[in-house]
Amino acid sequence: MSTDSEMILVTALIRPYMEEHVVQSLHDLAEFPGFTFTAVRGQGRGRGQGGSYVSSDTDLTYHQFLELRLVCRSELAGEICDRIASAAWTGRKGDGVVFTTPVHTFARIREIGRHSEKRDD
């Protein structure tokens, strides 16, 4: 496992219909990082522009999002977050969020496996 350079986990929740815009924006990067998408659902708190959220026992309305996750070098994280936010922006409530988390260790499985002893299966 490597701890040589600082790595950042970028996580974004975007509307599913904005997927193509976000993917194209990431493909336009000179150092294109790999990423994953997961279909997720959740509830916002409604604190943004336009009102507040009042919960009830019967309100089980969920919003559908795609969760994008990628790991990149720390110096690329700001540009990647900006690209995702710009590509996913519609100007309407519920466009999504983008946030980062430090990654303490990172290793590609194919590189670890190459250095470990062969197992007898």
Side-chain angles (χ1 to χ4, degrees):
M1 301 235 170
S2 173
T3 58
D4 296 340
S5 63
E6 290 187 38
M7 301 293 280
I8 299 291
L9 170 65
V10 176
T11 305
L13 298 176
I14 65 168
R15 293 294 189 176
Y17 56 85
M18 299 306 286
E19 177 182 2
E20 185 177 336
H21 298 286
V22 172
V23 169
Q24 184 60 50
S25 179
L26 293 174
H27 277 267
D28 289 343
L29 284 167
E31 296 183 40
F32 169 67
F35 59 87
T36 59
F37 273 118
T38 306
V40 296
R41 63 188 183 133
Q43 292 182 337
R45 293 286 299 176
R47 292 187 177 139
Q49 180 180 2
S52 61
Y53 177 76
V54 178
S55 66
S56 71
D57 292 338
T58 59
D59 182 16
L60 294 177
T61 303
Y62 295 105
H63 300 283
Q64 303 298 317
F65 288 96
L66 289 177
E67 180 183 55
L68 178 147
R69 297 179 69 153
L70 64 87
V71 176
C72 65
R73 292 190 336 268
S74 59
E75 58 269 12
L76 295 174
E79 180 182 1
I80 288 172
C81 289
D82 289 345
R83 282 177 175 260
I84 292 169
S86 294
W89 184 83
T90 66
R92 294 190 300 264
K93 185 176 177 181
D95 274 349
V97 297
V98 180
F99 58 94
T100 62
T101 309
V103 173
H104 299 289
T105 57
F106 178 84
R108 296 182 193 286
I109 294 172
R110 72 171 183 255
E111 293 171 3
I112 294 173
R114 176 176 48 191
H115 298 293
S116 66
E117 294 181 32
K118 294 193 179 212
R119 298 185 307 203
D120 293 328
D121 290 337

PDB file of all heavy atoms in Angstrom, residues 33-64:
ATOM      1  N   PRO A  33      -9.119  10.335 -14.333  1.00  0.00           N
ATOM      2  CA  PRO A  33      -9.162   9.301 -13.293  1.00  0.00           C
ATOM      3  C   PRO A  33     -10.322   8.346 -13.550  1.00  0.00           C
ATOM      4  O   PRO A  33     -11.355   8.732 -14.095  1.00  0.00           O
ATOM      5  CB  PRO A  33      -9.420  10.108 -12.017  1.00  0.00           C
ATOM      6  CG  PRO A  33     -10.228  11.276 -12.490  1.00  0.00           C
ATOM      7  CD  PRO A  33      -9.749  11.577 -13.900  1.00  0.00           C
ATOM      8  N   GLY A  34     -10.161   7.101 -13.162  1.00  0.00           N
ATOM      9  CA  GLY A  34     -11.276   6.172 -13.229  1.00  0.00           C
ATOM     10  C   GLY A  34     -12.295   6.531 -12.164  1.00  0.00           C
ATOM     11  O   GLY A  34     -11.984   7.234 -11.205  1.00  0.00           O
ATOM     12  N   PHE A  35     -13.508   6.074 -12.325  1.00  0.00           N
ATOM     13  CA  PHE A  35     -14.557   6.396 -11.353  1.00  0.00           C
ATOM     14  C   PHE A  35     -15.591   5.298 -11.348  1.00  0.00           C
ATOM     15  O   PHE A  35     -15.615   4.439 -12.231  1.00  0.00           O
ATOM     16  CB  PHE A  35     -15.218   7.742 -11.671  1.00  0.00           C
ATOM     17  CG  PHE A  35     -15.859   7.804 -13.024  1.00  0.00           C
ATOM     18  CD1 PHE A  35     -17.166   7.386 -13.218  1.00  0.00           C
ATOM     19  CD2 PHE A  35     -15.145   8.268 -14.115  1.00  0.00           C
ATOM     20  CE1 PHE A  35     -17.754   7.437 -14.471  1.00  0.00           C
ATOM     21  CE2 PHE A  35     -15.719   8.330 -15.365  1.00  0.00           C
ATOM     22  CZ  PHE A  35     -17.030   7.913 -15.545  1.00  0.00           C
ATOM     23  N   THR A  36     -16.453   5.321 -10.349  1.00  0.00           N
ATOM     24  CA  THR A  36     -17.578   4.395 -10.276  1.00  0.00           C
ATOM     25  C   THR A  36     -18.854   5.193 -10.035  1.00  0.00           C
ATOM     26  O   THR A  36     -18.829   6.281  -9.465  1.00  0.00           O
ATOM     27  CB  THR A  36     -17.428   3.379  -9.123  1.00  0.00           C
ATOM     28  OG1 THR A  36     -17.331   4.076  -7.888  1.00  0.00           O
ATOM     29  CG2 THR A  36     -16.204   2.506  -9.316  1.00  0.00           C
ATOM     30  N   PHE A  37     -19.961   4.633 -10.490  1.00  0.00           N
ATOM     31  CA  PHE A  37     -21.286   5.174 -10.209  1.00  0.00           C
ATOM     32  C   PHE A  37     -22.085   4.122  -9.463  1.00  0.00           C
ATOM     33  O   PHE A  37     -22.012   2.935  -9.769  1.00  0.00           O
ATOM     34  CB  PHE A  37     -22.056   5.487 -11.508  1.00  0.00           C
ATOM     35  CG  PHE A  37     -21.793   6.841 -12.082  1.00  0.00           C
ATOM     36  CD1 PHE A  37     -21.233   6.961 -13.341  1.00  0.00           C
ATOM     37  CD2 PHE A  37     -22.125   7.992 -11.401  1.00  0.00           C
ATOM     38  CE1 PHE A  37     -21.001   8.202 -13.898  1.00  0.00           C
ATOM     39  CE2 PHE A  37     -21.894   9.249 -11.945  1.00  0.00           C
ATOM     40  CZ  PHE A  37     -21.338   9.350 -13.202  1.00  0.00           C
ATOM     41  N   THR A  38     -22.864   4.568  -8.501  1.00  0.00           N
ATOM     42  CA  THR A  38     -23.798   3.717  -7.783  1.00  0.00           C
ATOM     43  C   THR A  38     -25.133   4.443  -7.728  1.00  0.00           C
ATOM     44  O   THR A  38     -25.169   5.645  -7.448  1.00  0.00           O
ATOM     45  CB  THR A  38     -23.301   3.455  -6.341  1.00  0.00           C
ATOM     46  OG1 THR A  38     -21.984   2.934  -6.377  1.00  0.00           O
ATOM     47  CG2 THR A  38     -24.211   2.471  -5.615  1.00  0.00           C
ATOM     48  N   ALA A  39     -26.221   3.736  -7.989  1.00  0.00           N
ATOM     49  CA  ALA A  39     -27.554   4.336  -7.858  1.00  0.00           C
ATOM     50  C   ALA A  39     -27.901   4.387  -6.374  1.00  0.00           C
ATOM     51  O   ALA A  39     -27.803   3.385  -5.669  1.00  0.00           O
ATOM     52  CB  ALA A  39     -28.583   3.511  -8.612  1.00  0.00           C
ATOM     53  N   VAL A  40     -28.265   5.581  -5.895  1.00  0.00           N
ATOM     54  CA  VAL A  40     -28.614   5.780  -4.492  1.00  0.00           C
ATOM     55  C   VAL A  40     -29.899   6.594  -4.394  1.00  0.00           C
ATOM     56  O   VAL A  40     -30.336   7.210  -5.374  1.00  0.00           O
ATOM     57  CB  VAL A  40     -27.478   6.488  -3.707  1.00  0.00           C
ATOM     58  CG1 VAL A  40     -26.231   5.625  -3.659  1.00  0.00           C
ATOM     59  CG2 VAL A  40     -27.168   7.843  -4.282  1.00  0.00           C
ATOM     60  N   ARG A  41     -30.494   6.591  -3.234  1.00  0.00           N
ATOM     61  CA  ARG A  41     -31.667   7.427  -2.990  1.00  0.00           C
ATOM     62  C   ARG A  41     -31.567   7.999  -1.602  1.00  0.00           C
ATOM     63  O   ARG A  41     -30.905   7.442  -0.734  1.00  0.00           O
ATOM     64  CB  ARG A  41     -32.959   6.650  -3.187  1.00  0.00           C
ATOM     65  CG  ARG A  41     -33.124   5.510  -2.231  1.00  0.00           C
ATOM     66  CD  ARG A  41     -34.317   4.650  -2.578  1.00  0.00           C
ATOM     67  NE  ARG A  41     -34.440   3.608  -1.564  1.00  0.00           N
ATOM     68  CZ  ARG A  41     -35.550   3.289  -0.978  1.00  0.00           C
ATOM     69  NH1 ARG A  41     -36.662   3.911  -1.287  1.00  0.00           N
ATOM     70  NH2 ARG A  41     -35.595   2.350  -0.076  1.00  0.00           N
ATOM     71  N   GLY A  42     -32.196   9.140  -1.404  1.00  0.00           N
ATOM     72  CA  GLY A  42     -32.125   9.774  -0.095  1.00  0.00           C
ATOM     73  C   GLY A  42     -33.051  10.956   0.001  1.00  0.00           C
ATOM     74  O   GLY A  42     -33.791  11.279  -0.932  1.00  0.00           O
ATOM     75  N   GLN A  43     -32.997  11.607   1.144  1.00  0.00           N
ATOM     76  CA  GLN A  43     -33.811  12.785   1.411  1.00  0.00           C
ATOM     77  C   GLN A  43     -32.908  13.942   1.780  1.00  0.00           C
ATOM     78  O   GLN A  43     -31.998  13.781   2.595  1.00  0.00           O
ATOM     79  CB  GLN A  43     -34.783  12.528   2.560  1.00  0.00           C
ATOM     80  CG  GLN A  43     -35.852  11.529   2.242  1.00  0.00           C
ATOM     81  CD  GLN A  43     -36.814  11.361   3.403  1.00  0.00           C
ATOM     82  OE1 GLN A  43     -36.490  11.644   4.548  1.00  0.00           O
ATOM     83  NE2 GLN A  43     -38.014  10.911   3.092  1.00  0.00           N
ATOM     84  N   GLY A  44     -33.166  15.080   1.178  1.00  0.00           N
ATOM     85  CA  GLY A  44     -32.460  16.298   1.565  1.00  0.00           C
ATOM     86  C   GLY A  44     -33.167  16.945   2.731  1.00  0.00           C
ATOM     87  O   GLY A  44     -34.279  16.572   3.103  1.00  0.00           O
ATOM     88  N   ARG A  45     -32.526  17.935   3.289  1.00  0.00           N
ATOM     89  CA  ARG A  45     -33.122  18.633   4.423  1.00  0.00           C
ATOM     90  C   ARG A  45     -33.894  19.872   3.998  1.00  0.00           C
ATOM     91  O   ARG A  45     -34.520  20.522   4.803  1.00  0.00           O
ATOM     92  CB  ARG A  45     -32.038  19.019   5.430  1.00  0.00           C
ATOM     93  CG  ARG A  45     -31.405  17.833   6.093  1.00  0.00           C
ATOM     94  CD  ARG A  45     -32.304  17.215   7.100  1.00  0.00           C
ATOM     95  NE  ARG A  45     -32.598  18.205   8.128  1.00  0.00           N
ATOM     96  CZ  ARG A  45     -33.406  18.034   9.132  1.00  0.00           C
ATOM     97  NH1 ARG A  45     -34.029  16.906   9.262  1.00  0.00           N
ATOM     98  NH2 ARG A  45     -33.612  18.981   9.996  1.00  0.00           N
ATOM     99  N   GLY A  46     -33.810  20.259   2.736  1.00  0.00           N
ATOM    100  CA  GLY A  46     -34.593  21.382   2.262  1.00  0.00           C
ATOM    101  C   GLY A  46     -34.150  22.730   2.779  1.00  0.00           C
ATOM    102  O   GLY A  46     -34.935  23.659   2.847  1.00  0.00           O
ATOM    103  N   ARG A  47     -32.900  22.866   3.155  1.00  0.00           N
ATOM    104  CA  ARG A  47     -32.418  24.126   3.712  1.00  0.00           C
ATOM    105  C   ARG A  47     -31.939  25.086   2.628  1.00  0.00           C
ATOM    106  O   ARG A  47     -31.555  26.197   2.926  1.00  0.00           O
ATOM    107  CB  ARG A  47     -31.289  23.867   4.685  1.00  0.00           C
ATOM    108  CG  ARG A  47     -31.773  23.159   5.918  1.00  0.00           C
ATOM    109  CD  ARG A  47     -30.666  23.061   6.938  1.00  0.00           C
ATOM    110  NE  ARG A  47     -31.193  22.442   8.143  1.00  0.00           N
ATOM    111  CZ  ARG A  47     -30.567  21.557   8.852  1.00  0.00           C
ATOM    112  NH1 ARG A  47     -29.371  21.161   8.497  1.00  0.00           N
ATOM    113  NH2 ARG A  47     -31.102  21.063   9.932  1.00  0.00           N
ATOM    114  N   GLY A  48     -31.940  24.655   1.406  1.00  0.00           N
ATOM    115  CA  GLY A  48     -31.477  25.519   0.324  1.00  0.00           C
ATOM    116  C   GLY A  48     -32.507  26.572  -0.038  1.00  0.00           C
ATOM    117  O   GLY A  48     -33.505  26.768   0.648  1.00  0.00           O
ATOM    118  N   GLN A  49     -32.275  27.215  -1.140  1.00  0.00           N
ATOM    119  CA  GLN A  49     -33.176  28.270  -1.611  1.00  0.00           C
ATOM    120  C   GLN A  49     -34.577  27.714  -1.817  1.00  0.00           C
ATOM    121  O   GLN A  49     -34.765  26.653  -2.372  1.00  0.00           O
ATOM    122  CB  GLN A  49     -32.636  28.824  -2.932  1.00  0.00           C
ATOM    123  CG  GLN A  49     -33.482  29.907  -3.519  1.00  0.00           C
ATOM    124  CD  GLN A  49     -32.885  30.399  -4.835  1.00  0.00           C
ATOM    125  OE1 GLN A  49     -31.886  29.910  -5.296  1.00  0.00           O
ATOM    126  NE2 GLN A  49     -33.540  31.368  -5.413  1.00  0.00           N
ATOM    127  N   GLY A  50     -35.557  28.411  -1.350  1.00  0.00           N
ATOM    128  CA  GLY A  50     -36.929  28.035  -1.644  1.00  0.00           C
ATOM    129  C   GLY A  50     -37.719  27.412  -0.532  1.00  0.00           C
ATOM    130  O   GLY A  50     -38.839  26.985  -0.739  1.00  0.00           O
ATOM    131  N   GLY A  51     -37.185  27.281   0.670  1.00  0.00           N
ATOM    132  CA  GLY A  51     -38.041  26.778   1.725  1.00  0.00           C
ATOM    133  C   GLY A  51     -37.337  25.907   2.723  1.00  0.00           C
ATOM    134  O   GLY A  51     -36.121  25.770   2.722  1.00  0.00           O
ATOM    135  N   SER A  52     -38.144  25.298   3.575  1.00  0.00           N
ATOM    136  CA  SER A  52     -37.607  24.439   4.615  1.00  0.00           C
ATOM    137  C   SER A  52     -38.299  23.089   4.549  1.00  0.00           C
ATOM    138  O   SER A  52     -39.341  22.930   3.937  1.00  0.00           O
ATOM    139  CB  SER A  52     -37.823  25.074   5.988  1.00  0.00           C
ATOM    140  OG  SER A  52     -39.207  25.229   6.219  1.00  0.00           O
ATOM    141  N   TYR A  53     -37.716  22.125   5.216  1.00  0.00           N
ATOM    142  CA  TYR A  53     -38.228  20.769   5.208  1.00  0.00           C
ATOM    143  C   TYR A  53     -38.999  20.512   6.489  1.00  0.00           C
ATOM    144  O   TYR A  53     -38.522  20.813   7.587  1.00  0.00           O
ATOM    145  CB  TYR A  53     -37.064  19.780   5.097  1.00  0.00           C
ATOM    146  CG  TYR A  53     -37.490  18.341   5.152  1.00  0.00           C
ATOM    147  CD1 TYR A  53     -38.075  17.742   4.058  1.00  0.00           C
ATOM    148  CD2 TYR A  53     -37.307  17.601   6.309  1.00  0.00           C
ATOM    149  CE1 TYR A  53     -38.466  16.421   4.110  1.00  0.00           C
ATOM    150  CE2 TYR A  53     -37.693  16.280   6.370  1.00  0.00           C
ATOM    151  CZ  TYR A  53     -38.271  15.694   5.266  1.00  0.00           C
ATOM    152  OH  TYR A  53     -38.661  14.394   5.301  1.00  0.00           O
ATOM    153  N   VAL A  54     -40.196  19.975   6.370  1.00  0.00           N
ATOM    154  CA  VAL A  54     -40.992  19.588   7.525  1.00  0.00           C
ATOM    155  C   VAL A  54     -41.275  18.106   7.376  1.00  0.00           C
ATOM    156  O   VAL A  54     -41.952  17.685   6.433  1.00  0.00           O
ATOM    157  CB  VAL A  54     -42.322  20.385   7.602  1.00  0.00           C
ATOM    158  CG1 VAL A  54     -43.133  19.922   8.796  1.00  0.00           C
ATOM    159  CG2 VAL A  54     -42.051  21.870   7.659  1.00  0.00           C
ATOM    160  N   SER A  55     -40.737  17.301   8.291  1.00  0.00           N
ATOM    161  CA  SER A  55     -40.892  15.855   8.168  1.00  0.00           C
ATOM    162  C   SER A  55     -42.223  15.400   8.763  1.00  0.00           C
ATOM    163  O   SER A  55     -42.812  16.069   9.592  1.00  0.00           O
ATOM    164  CB  SER A  55     -39.742  15.143   8.864  1.00  0.00           C
ATOM    165  OG  SER A  55     -39.813  15.371  10.247  1.00  0.00           O
ATOM    166  N   SER A  56     -42.650  14.252   8.300  1.00  0.00           N
ATOM    167  CA  SER A  56     -43.838  13.630   8.874  1.00  0.00           C
ATOM    168  C   SER A  56     -43.620  12.128   8.870  1.00  0.00           C
ATOM    169  O   SER A  56     -42.740  11.615   8.174  1.00  0.00           O
ATOM    170  CB  SER A  56     -45.087  13.987   8.066  1.00  0.00           C
ATOM    171  OG  SER A  56     -45.068  13.332   6.825  1.00  0.00           O
ATOM    172  N   ASP A  57     -44.413  11.421   9.628  1.00  0.00           N
ATOM    173  CA  ASP A  57     -44.279   9.969   9.705  1.00  0.00           C
ATOM    174  C   ASP A  57     -44.613   9.287   8.391  1.00  0.00           C
ATOM    175  O   ASP A  57     -44.156   8.186   8.123  1.00  0.00           O
ATOM    176  CB  ASP A  57     -45.179   9.409  10.808  1.00  0.00           C
ATOM    177  CG  ASP A  57     -44.703   9.824  12.188  1.00  0.00           C
ATOM    178  OD1 ASP A  57     -43.507  10.155  12.311  1.00  0.00           O
ATOM    179  OD2 ASP A  57     -45.519   9.809  13.116  1.00  0.00           O
ATOM    180  N   THR A  58     -45.417   9.929   7.564  1.00  0.00           N
ATOM    181  CA  THR A  58     -45.848   9.299   6.318  1.00  0.00           C
ATOM    182  C   THR A  58     -45.068   9.791   5.102  1.00  0.00           C
ATOM    183  O   THR A  58     -45.298   9.330   4.007  1.00  0.00           O
ATOM    184  CB  THR A  58     -47.348   9.572   6.075  1.00  0.00           C
ATOM    185  OG1 THR A  58     -47.547  10.989   6.007  1.00  0.00           O
ATOM    186  CG2 THR A  58     -48.187   8.978   7.194  1.00  0.00           C
ATOM    187  N   ASP A  59     -44.148  10.713   5.294  1.00  0.00           N
ATOM    188  CA  ASP A  59     -43.389  11.272   4.173  1.00  0.00           C
ATOM    189  C   ASP A  59     -42.170  10.404   3.894  1.00  0.00           C
ATOM    190  O   ASP A  59     -41.134  10.552   4.513  1.00  0.00           O
ATOM    191  CB  ASP A  59     -42.950  12.705   4.482  1.00  0.00           C
ATOM    192  CG  ASP A  59     -42.211  13.346   3.323  1.00  0.00           C
ATOM    193  OD1 ASP A  59     -42.305  12.819   2.198  1.00  0.00           O
ATOM    194  OD2 ASP A  59     -41.557  14.371   3.548  1.00  0.00           O
ATOM    195  N   LEU A  60     -42.299   9.467   2.973  1.00  0.00           N
ATOM    196  CA  LEU A  60     -41.194   8.597   2.594  1.00  0.00           C
ATOM    197  C   LEU A  60     -40.798   8.851   1.147  1.00  0.00           C
ATOM    198  O   LEU A  60     -40.502   7.932   0.401  1.00  0.00           O
ATOM    199  CB  LEU A  60     -41.571   7.137   2.805  1.00  0.00           C
ATOM    200  CG  LEU A  60     -41.792   6.740   4.266  1.00  0.00           C
ATOM    201  CD1 LEU A  60     -42.232   5.298   4.365  1.00  0.00           C
ATOM    202  CD2 LEU A  60     -40.564   6.993   5.108  1.00  0.00           C
ATOM    203  N   THR A  61     -40.799  10.101   0.753  1.00  0.00           N
ATOM    204  CA  THR A  61     -40.407  10.477  -0.594  1.00  0.00           C
ATOM    205  C   THR A  61     -38.886  10.514  -0.665  1.00  0.00           C
ATOM    206  O   THR A  61     -38.238  11.216   0.105  1.00  0.00           O
ATOM    207  CB  THR A  61     -40.962  11.866  -0.955  1.00  0.00           C
ATOM    208  OG1 THR A  61     -42.368  11.832  -0.804  1.00  0.00           O
ATOM    209  CG2 THR A  61     -40.597  12.236  -2.376  1.00  0.00           C
ATOM    210  N   TYR A  62     -38.342   9.744  -1.587  1.00  0.00           N
ATOM    211  CA  TYR A  62     -36.893   9.719  -1.771  1.00  0.00           C
ATOM    212  C   TYR A  62     -36.550  10.314  -3.122  1.00  0.00           C
ATOM    213  O   TYR A  62     -37.305  10.199  -4.077  1.00  0.00           O
ATOM    214  CB  TYR A  62     -36.361   8.281  -1.713  1.00  0.00           C
ATOM    215  CG  TYR A  62     -36.538   7.634  -0.370  1.00  0.00           C
ATOM    216  CD1 TYR A  62     -37.525   6.679  -0.167  1.00  0.00           C
ATOM    217  CD2 TYR A  62     -35.730   7.983   0.698  1.00  0.00           C
ATOM    218  CE1 TYR A  62     -37.691   6.080   1.067  1.00  0.00           C
ATOM    219  CE2 TYR A  62     -35.893   7.389   1.936  1.00  0.00           C
ATOM    220  CZ  TYR A  62     -36.870   6.440   2.106  1.00  0.00           C
ATOM    221  OH  TYR A  62     -37.037   5.852   3.334  1.00  0.00           O
ATOM    222  N   HIS A  63     -35.373  10.925  -3.181  1.00  0.00           N
ATOM    223  CA  HIS A  63     -34.857  11.452  -4.435  1.00  0.00           C
ATOM    224  C   HIS A  63     -33.825  10.472  -4.968  1.00  0.00           C
ATOM    225  O   HIS A  63     -33.035   9.919  -4.203  1.00  0.00           O
ATOM    226  CB  HIS A  63     -34.216  12.825  -4.227  1.00  0.00           C
ATOM    227  CG  HIS A  63     -35.168  13.830  -3.685  1.00  0.00           C
ATOM    228  ND1 HIS A  63     -36.126  14.439  -4.463  1.00  0.00           N
ATOM    229  CD2 HIS A  63     -35.332  14.319  -2.432  1.00  0.00           C
ATOM    230  CE1 HIS A  63     -36.829  15.269  -3.719  1.00  0.00           C
ATOM    231  NE2 HIS A  63     -36.379  15.211  -2.480  1.00  0.00           N
ATOM    232  N   GLN A  64     -33.853  10.248  -6.270  1.00  0.00           N
ATOM    233  CA  GLN A  64     -32.912   9.339  -6.920  1.00  0.00           C
ATOM    234  C   GLN A  64     -31.663  10.119  -7.321  1.00  0.00           C
ATOM    235  O   GLN A  64     -31.767  11.196  -7.902  1.00  0.00           O
ATOM    236  CB  GLN A  64     -33.551   8.700  -8.155  1.00  0.00           C
ATOM    237  CG  GLN A  64     -34.834   7.952  -7.866  1.00  0.00           C
ATOM    238  CD  GLN A  64     -34.637   6.787  -6.923  1.00  0.00           C
ATOM    239  OE1 GLN A  64     -33.677   6.028  -7.039  1.00  0.00           O
ATOM    240  NE2 GLN A  64     -35.534   6.646  -5.961  1.00  0.00           N
TER     241      GLN A  64
END
